[in-house]
């Protein structure tokens, strides 16, 4: 969960922003409110904030100076600036000072959510995260990394055992945790991966910690007979299987790093993917992209396809289909309701696209779940 500091001197704007339901969704927490930049710095001196939303036109200290102070003080917070419409100077100066986004006031909950989304995806990753260290290791020389996979897996397993009371018993869950952290970092660098080319990693962790962990504990405490030796042998065999599985997953990670050139991430393509994901049901998504990014449709389309291998239109269609699958699995909504919610003019057209994408009609897919 990201801790957010809102810096806004206008009481009405501040109250409206504080009332947005997005703070109750669990991903972002409004952890503090300040009335100007000086007040914000005083709060930041005693509390950690991942994201700072700052008005550029405040008394005492405005958002631009606050942004400068945050950068010069070495705080790791991302800054989102808010200011007047068409104030290109503030937007440009804010980016120069390290702000990750500029939103025009008055800003809606949708616009604020989008800015928070980009801030969270682009910059806010703890440096001490084990998964990030291993991801960077994979990026060091991906063309030669195949010969080092075994060594990387062994290092990963050593890291996974740190702090464990029963390292062998907990190894599977800890290895899965690290692999999932690596994948999350890859998703942050390339948002399109989980829809176009996901890596199958089992959800959750600690499933190995139950029966065998209990057996091993009983063996050590003298409550188990000779059969405990069998359990230990199973444990050793399980450790070898975990290493084989980790090697397979890391190999798939490397394939995607090469295929999508993740050594040099493309922030524009990532931003396009994020906007499409947030607005997949919008009828004229490419017009919206032109307005938001102030770039030509042709330029964005070519750059997006060159990096991802698909067009923006195709990617948007995939977003819609994935959302449809989720609604069919998780809600009781009628097919026509889902079709309308996703922006399709007719349910027949939606059904045709869905069947082409999944091999099932919507009703058939729901029955198969």
């Amino acid at each position: 969960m990201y801790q957010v500091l809102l810096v806004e001197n206008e009481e009405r704007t501040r109250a409206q922003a504080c009332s947005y339901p997005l703070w109750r969704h669990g991903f972002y927490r409004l952890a503090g409110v300040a009335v100007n930049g000086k007040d914000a710095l005083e709060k930041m001196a005693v509390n950690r904030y991942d994201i700072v939303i700052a008005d550029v036109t405040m008394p005492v200290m405005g958002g631009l100076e606050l942004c400068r102070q945050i950068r010069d003080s070495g705080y790791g917070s991302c800054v989102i600036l808010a200011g007047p419409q068409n104030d290109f100077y503030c937007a440009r100066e804010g980016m120069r000072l390290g702000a990750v986004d500029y939103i025009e006031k008055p800003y809606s909950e949708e616009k604020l959510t989008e800015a928070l989304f980009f801030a969270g995806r682009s910059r806010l990753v703890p440096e001490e995260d084990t998964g990030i260290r291993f991801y960077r290791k994979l990026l060091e020389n991906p063309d030669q990394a195949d010969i080092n996979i075994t060594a990387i897996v062994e290092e990963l397993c050593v890291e996974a055992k740190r702090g464990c009371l029963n390292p062998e018993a907990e190894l599977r869950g800890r290895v899965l945790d690290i692999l999932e952290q690596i994948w999350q970092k890859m998703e942050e660098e390339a948002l399109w991966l989980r829809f176009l080319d996901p890596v199958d990693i089992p959800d959750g962790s600690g499933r190995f910690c139950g029966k065998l962990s209990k057996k091993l504990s009983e063996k050590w405490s003298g409550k188990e007979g000779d059969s405990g030796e069998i359990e230990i042998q199973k444990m050793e065999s399980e450790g070898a299987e975990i290493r084989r599985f980790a090697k397979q997953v890391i190999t798939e990670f490397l394939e995607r790093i090469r295929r999508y050139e993740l050594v040099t991430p493309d922030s524009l393509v990532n931003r396009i993917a994020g906007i499409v994901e947030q607005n997949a049901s919008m009828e004229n998504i490419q017009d919206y992209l032109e307005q938001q990014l102030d770039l030509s449709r042709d330029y964005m389309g070519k750059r997006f396809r060159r990096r991802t291998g698909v067009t923006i239109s195709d990617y948007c269609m995939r977003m819609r289909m994935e959302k449809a699958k989720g609604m069919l699995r998780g809600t009781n909504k009628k097919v026509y309701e889902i079709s309308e919610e996703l922006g399709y003019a007719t349910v027949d057209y939606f059904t045709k696209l869905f069947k082409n994408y999944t091999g099932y009609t919507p009703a058939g897919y729901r029955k198969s779940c």
Side-chain angles (χ1 to χ4, degrees):
M1 179 183 292
Y2 296 133
Q3 308 297 310
V4 180
L5 174 64
L6 175 65
V7 191
E8 172 60 62
N9 70 297
E10 295 179 5
E11 185 175 355
R12 182 176 179 182
T13 302
R14 192 168 60 242
Q16 182 178 19
C18 290
S19 70
Y20 286 149
L22 73 92
W23 308 119
R24 300 193 293 273
H25 293 169
F27 200 63
Y28 304 100
R29 175 175 174 266
L30 187 57
V33 176
V35 296
N36 56 55
K38 183 175 181 294
D39 185 23
L41 289 173
E42 290 173 355
K43 286 180 166 59
M44 295 179 72
V46 294
N47 295 296
R48 181 187 65 83
Y49 299 99
D50 299 306
I51 304 174
V52 177
I53 306 163
D55 184 5
V56 297
T57 57
M58 295 179 292
V60 184
M61 182 187 295
L64 290 176
E65 180 59 26
L66 173 61
C67 191
R68 189 194 315 277
Q69 295 274 359
I70 288 173
R71 183 196 64 182
D72 293 346
S73 299
Y75 289 119
S77 307
C78 288
V79 179
I80 299 169
L81 293 174
Q85 295 183 13
N86 301 321
D87 192 333
F88 299 112
Y89 168 78
C90 283
R92 185 175 63 250
E93 185 68 7
M95 298 303 111
R96 189 181 70 81
L97 293 170
V100 297
D101 207 349
Y102 180 91
I103 53 177
E104 297 177 338
K105 295 179 62 177
Y107 47 81
S108 64
E109 180 180 15
E110 179 183 4
K111 194 67 178 177
L112 181 57
T113 301
E114 186 177 294
L116 290 167
F117 173 83
F118 287 124
R121 287 286 189 178
S122 63
R123 300 269 300 275
L124 296 174
V125 184
E127 289 294 324
E128 66 274 11
D129 193 318
T130 302
I132 293 174
R133 287 197 290 105
F134 279 97
Y135 177 65
R136 288 175 177 161
K137 189 177 291 292
L138 297 180
L139 291 179
E140 287 173 1
N141 196 348
D143 292 331
Q144 300 294 326
D146 287 341
I147 60 175
N148 299 321
I149 287 181
T150 299
I152 291 172
V153 169
E154 287 305 315
E155 185 179 345
L156 189 150
C157 288
V158 169
E159 181 66 34
K161 291 180 181 181
R162 294 183 189 278
C164 296
L165 295 176
N166 296 334
E168 290 80 8
E170 299 178 34
L171 183 60
R172 174 185 288 271
R174 298 293 291 270
V175 167
L176 283 176
D177 281 344
I178 296 173
L179 291 174
E180 287 169 356
Q181 289 170 19
I182 297 172
W183 177 245
Q184 287 169 9
K185 180 58 180 173
M186 290 178 68
E187 281 188 347
E188 290 171 359
E189 298 296 325
L191 295 179
W192 61 87
L193 276 177
R194 67 183 180 277
F195 297 106
L196 298 183
D197 204 1
V199 175
D200 184 20
I201 304 175
D203 292 331
S205 61
R207 292 166 303 188
F208 186 59
C209 300
K211 181 180 177 182
L212 292 185
S213 178
K214 182 174 183 296
K215 287 285 186 181
L216 191 56
S217 176
E218 290 174 349
K219 169 67 180 177
W220 285 343
S221 63
K223 297 179 181 178
E224 181 69 32
D226 293 340
S227 61
E229 296 295 335
I230 298 175
E231 297 298 337
I232 294 175
Q233 291 173 11
K234 287 182 180 179
M235 194 81 74
E236 293 173 349
S237 175
E238 180 73 10
E241 181 60 34
I242 291 168
R243 285 165 170 79
R244 283 193 292 272
F245 171 73
K247 185 174 182 179
Q248 176 186 338
V249 172
I250 288 175
T251 300
E252 293 191 37
F253 286 165
L254 283 167
E255 288 175 354
R256 283 152 182 79
I257 288 171
R258 298 185 191 112
R259 186 180 309 155
Y260 298 105
E261 301 176 6
L262 298 187
V263 173
T264 55
D266 191 320
S267 59
L268 174 61
V269 173
N270 218 30
R271 185 163 183 131
I272 292 170
I275 291 175
V276 172
E277 183 176 344
Q278 294 290 301
N279 302 277
S281 59
M282 186 176 290
E283 184 175 358
N284 299 311
I285 184 64
Q286 300 209 44
D287 291 340
Y288 183 68
L289 284 168
E290 285 185 306
Q291 295 170 5
Q292 292 296 302
L293 301 177
D294 195 25
L295 295 169
S296 74
R297 180 180 305 207
D298 183 59
Y299 174 78
M300 289 188 292
K302 288 179 179 178
R303 188 156 163 178
F304 189 86
R305 186 167 188 172
R306 185 166 60 244
R307 180 56 69 111
T308 67
V310 300
T311 65
I312 293 175
S313 295
D314 186 43
Y315 186 70
C316 185
M317 183 275 293
R318 293 176 187 231
M319 294 292 101
R320 291 181 175 186
M321 294 299 103
E322 291 299 326
K323 287 190 175 186
K325 287 166 63 177
M327 285 189 277
L328 287 166
R329 289 193 305 267
T331 75
N332 294 320
K333 291 182 178 179
K334 307 290 186 183
V335 173
Y336 77 86
E337 292 175 325
I338 295 174
S339 173
E340 290 176 358
E341 189 169 330
L342 293 176
Y344 289 105
T346 68
V347 69
D348 290 340
Y349 182 56
F350 164 66
T351 299
K352 178 182 177 180
L353 288 177
F354 190 87
K355 187 172 183 179
N356 288 341
Y357 185 74
T358 65
Y360 294 93
T361 64
Y365 179 82
R366 177 170 269 163
K367 290 179 181 179
S368 72
C369 294

